[in-house]
Amino acid sequence: MVGCSTPAPRSPTAEPGAAQKPVVLATFTVLADMARQVAGDRLEVRSITKPGAEIHGYEPTPSDLEAAQGANLIVENGLGLERWAARFVAASGQATTLTLSQGLEPLLIEGDVYAGKPNPHAWMSPKRAEHYVDRLVEGFSQLDPAGAPGFRDRGLAYKQKLRALDAELRSALAGVPPSQRLLVTCEGAFSYLARDYGLDEAYLWPVNAETQVTPRRLVRLINTVKQRQVPAVFCESTVSAEAQREVARATGAQFGGTFYVDSLSGSGGPAPSLLALQRHNVNLIVQGLSRPPAARPAP
């Protein structure tokens, strides 16, 4: 699926004869930001979820479903991330779905209850985010053929920014000492970034749909942090960091700060766009993992 050419229905509050932009609903704020970079002022792009929302197990509200009735296109990540999005397609009555991860070879989750399933966080790799941009250009061009040249131009410009970001992140992360290149998070959302830039990863749970911190998971991560003398551990903005702070207390590691992954921050926060989100996260990683190693546990 890649698009829809049906014009957007006129809003009840619109002036008679007023031109209406096609409406694009993105499932979460990160995808809405990417969509706006490509859409420019040709399309009206909205996010179904608000900044700070946990998207894995999101429960659509009646007002969410009502908003879907005016949509022409619903943009989703795919890879099992937003199974709830099917309700919006049904509620819209006319919208088609554009799945941005379609055509990508995903990384698979290793171990735990989600072993073998695709890791859905492919946008965390600037290189793979370029594929998302290509999909947006394709879908928007079918939705609004007259706007296709602009979508292509804006897509190319945004991909150039992603390539510059890739070089920037690679240079920054190259400074992390080789013995301290283990990224410890709450959710296993950094597999793509870790693969791109030569980091190992460890986490409390594989995806936020499975956030139960069992004693086995906690002990396993504590032992890993101790053995590797990891200087800092982190958590994401959409979940509680309490279990990860317990890991820090038990190991002597610092709590290195809060990452943004599944949601942007508000406009005044540290991650109002995908590009800012990546820079914020990598700055925390570099600062945290460049600290002196955590004290080796007593034998």
Side-chain angles (χ1 to χ4, degrees):
M1 129 23 307
V2 290
C4 171
S5 58
T6 307
R10 186 178 351 188
S11 165
T13 59
E15 292 295 328
Q20 296 298 297
K21 298 176 183 179
V23 175
V24 175
L25 280 184
T27 49
F28 57 103
T29 55
V30 174
L31 300 190
D33 173 61
M34 299 183 76
R36 291 186 185 108
Q37 308 310 310
V38 176
D41 61 3
R42 291 286 305 188
L43 309 173
E44 182 179 346
V45 178
R46 308 170 187 161
S47 175
I48 293 171
T49 57
K50 295 178 173 60
E54 211 311 291
I55 59 171
H56 292 259
Y58 184 72
E59 292 289 340
T61 66
S63 61
D64 289 334
L65 297 174
E66 183 179 354
Q69 295 174 13
N72 298 97
L73 183 66
I74 294 175
V75 174
E76 67 172 8
N77 181 75
L79 299 177
L81 182 64
E82 327 99 312
R83 299 187 187 281
W84 46 268
R87 296 177 60 185
F88 285 86
V89 178
S92 73
Q94 65 173 359
T96 50
T97 302
L98 177 65
T99 303
L100 299 188
S101 65
Q102 184 175 323
L104 275 177
E105 185 68 30
L107 297 179
L108 301 182
I109 296 170
E110 298 178 2
D112 223 309
V113 295
Y114 279 75
K117 294 185 178 180
N119 188 309
H121 304 92
W123 69 90
M124 293 299 290
S125 161
K127 290 182 177 180
R128 292 176 187 250
E130 289 191 43
H131 178 88
Y132 282 41
V133 175
D134 290 339
R135 294 285 294 154
L136 287 165
V137 170
E138 181 183 4
F140 290 175
S141 296
Q142 292 196 23
L143 176 65
D144 177 13
F151 299 142
R152 287 194 298 270
D153 289 347
R154 284 186 290 274
L156 286 171
Y158 191 41
K159 285 168 70 172
Q160 288 297 328
K161 292 181 179 179
L162 288 168
R163 289 167 190 168
L165 177 71
D166 174 55
E168 179 185 333
L169 301 188
R170 188 174 304 280
S171 176
L173 288 166
V176 176
S179 63
Q180 297 178 196
R181 301 179 68 84
L182 177 64
L183 181 58
V184 177
T185 57
C186 284
E187 182 186 17
F190 284 80
S191 297
Y192 294 92
L193 186 141
R195 173 71 63 88
D196 281 358
Y197 304 121
L199 300 172
D200 298 328
E201 63 170 343
Y203 44 79
L204 281 166
W205 51 77
V207 296
N208 280 347
E210 174 72 24
T211 58
Q212 183 179 7
V213 185
T214 63
R216 181 179 179 182
R217 286 178 173 172
L218 191 63
V219 169
R220 182 175 61 196
L221 190 60
I222 287 172
N223 289 339
T224 297
V225 171
K226 285 181 176 180
Q227 290 164 5
R228 292 285 297 267
Q229 295 181 268
V230 178
V233 299
F234 308 87
C235 198
E236 295 76 49
S237 65
T238 55
V239 295
S240 170
E242 184 51 40
Q244 196 67 287
R245 290 183 183 277
E246 175 58 31
V247 172
R249 287 191 289 267
T251 61
Q254 297 290 316
F255 181 76
T258 300
F259 289 148
Y260 289 83
V261 177
D262 296 336
S263 174
L264 300 179
S265 67
S267 59
S273 69
L274 174 60
L275 300 183
L277 174 154
Q278 291 280 32
R279 291 187 175 105
H280 167 79
N281 290 347
V282 167
N283 284 340
L284 289 182
I285 293 170
V286 172
Q287 292 170 15
L289 297 189
S290 297
R291 299 172 185 268
R296 184 177 296 276

